[in-house]
Amino acid sequence: MQINYIKNKEIDFEKYDKCISKSAAGNVYAMSWYLDIVSPKWSILMAEDYSYVMPLPEKRKYGIRYVIQPYFCQQLGVFSKNELSEEIFTQFLKAIPHRYANLQLNTSNAFNLPAEKLRPNYVLKLTDSFEGITSRFGSNCKRNIKKTLSCDNKICEITSEEYIDFLIKNDKGIINEKMVKILRMLIYKALDSRSGRILANFSENNLTAAVFLVSTSNRIYYLTPVSSEEGKQKQSMALLVSEVISQNANSDLILDFEGSSIPGVAKFYAGFGADLEYYSLWKRVKLF
């Protein structure tokens, strides 16, 4: 198989996006509009007229281009319209033309890898009724929601600036200026295309939790959730997630929680009955 390296200006974006959309592991992070924001100089490896593609988010340091996972971009890797074999996947890895690589690959790229190279992700199928889904909530999850419902709550959409201000105020030490700039562009683009929304929970008229949601044809991505100290105490995010589930139950959608390796966060996601799946981490040290 011949694998070609294609610079950004030479990519056929229509064919590329079509491959991502038709791939069993296709996700929003690999779509061209998303990569244009998180890694403007991205390029691709391509084979068989865009039947196989691998986006390469690039940065430049001391004049040298290198590949590194961008902010807000959980999974990339090799995507295929057809079933991806380990042999073809390995060929793509060998074809990466840069000195460094530190990439988080997609769920179809985890070929017999050791546990230390796998990362957890939690996903919840929304095909069942709301009552059916909630019946599988964990006891702690049900208790958290009950605690939240003891307060006066209002769940509604808020503006991007309200959300960004709330995020900066309550995620100190985690989110930096560069991340805020990228996130703001993602939000503007998603809201403009009507694929994104920002859902928030007000408890006793105070904004206590909010999350940026991006939807594709088959998934809702739970991006950058944030709670205030009051929200953490009142478990406001649990009610917010329950509302997202309620609004999208009886659909073919999957709620993608994006991780996590942090035990407390993983327990929170698992409490909604979410299933555990894995994506892989690939690193290559300096070759010369």
Side-chain angles (χ1 to χ4, degrees), residues 69-250:
Q69 200 78 15
Y71 292 126
F72 310 112
C73 195
Q74 187 198 61
Q75 301 178 29
L76 291 176
V78 183
F79 298 87
S80 170
K81 292 180 181 179
N82 313 306
E83 185 176 352
L84 180 65
S85 68
E86 185 171 2
E87 179 183 359
I88 293 175
F89 170 67
T90 302
Q91 288 180 41
F92 268 85
L93 292 186
K94 290 179 178 179
I96 296 175
H98 305 299
R99 296 185 181 185
Y100 300 92
N102 181 359
L103 293 173
Q104 293 168 192
L105 310 178
N106 64 65
T107 53
S108 72
N109 294 174
F111 291 100
N112 301 314
L113 293 174
E116 63 268 19
K117 290 191 176 182
L118 297 176
R119 295 292 182 269
N121 188 45
Y122 285 88
V123 295
L124 178 64
K125 293 180 180 179
L126 302 175
T127 50
D128 203 351
S129 66
F130 180 61
E131 292 74 17
I133 297 173
T134 56
S135 70
R136 295 186 289 274
F137 284 3
S139 56
N140 193 56
C141 179
K142 291 178 180 178
R143 189 162 50 248
N144 288 340
I145 293 172
K146 185 176 180 180
K147 181 178 180 179
T148 311
L149 288 172
S150 66
C151 307
D152 180 27
N153 295 280
K154 177 185 177 183
I155 295 179
C156 61
E157 293 188 22
I158 59 174
T159 68
S160 57
E161 290 310 311
E162 285 177 305
Y163 171 71
I164 292 292
D165 289 344
F166 183 67
L167 180 67
I168 292 172
K169 181 180 178 181
N170 292 284
D171 249 6
K172 293 178 181 177
I174 299 176
I175 193 161
N176 57 44
E177 288 185 15
K178 187 172 183 179
M179 293 170 72
V180 169
K181 182 179 178 181
I182 294 171
L183 181 59
R184 184 177 272 114
M185 289 190 288
L186 286 174
I187 291 172
Y188 288 167
K189 181 68 175 180
L191 293 181
D192 185 60
S193 64
R194 297 185 179 181
S195 62
R197 60 194 299 230
I198 302 167
L199 204 61
N201 187 9
F202 287 82
S203 180
E204 311 294 343
N205 294 320
N206 293 324
L207 177 54
T208 54
V211 63
F212 171 42
L213 303 166
V214 176
S215 298
T216 61
S217 60
N218 63 342
R219 290 203 178 206
I220 301 171
Y221 294 85
Y222 178 83
L223 302 176
T224 54
V226 58
S227 298
S228 65
E229 285 303 318
E230 180 185 358
K232 292 173 184 176
Q233 292 296 322
K234 292 182 175 180
Q235 301 294 335
S236 297
M237 190 60 74
L239 184 62
L240 201 52
V241 173
S242 180
E243 177 65 20
V244 174
I245 295 170
S246 174
Q247 292 180 5
N248 295 280
N250 288 310

Side-chain angles (χ1 to χ4, degrees), residues 35-53:
L35 285 168
D36 284 345
I37 295 172
V38 300
S39 182
K41 297 184 183 298
W42 66 285
S43 56
I44 65 169
L45 294 176
M46 180 273 290
E48 297 186 0
D49 194 26
Y50 290 86
S51 289
Y52 299 89
V53 297

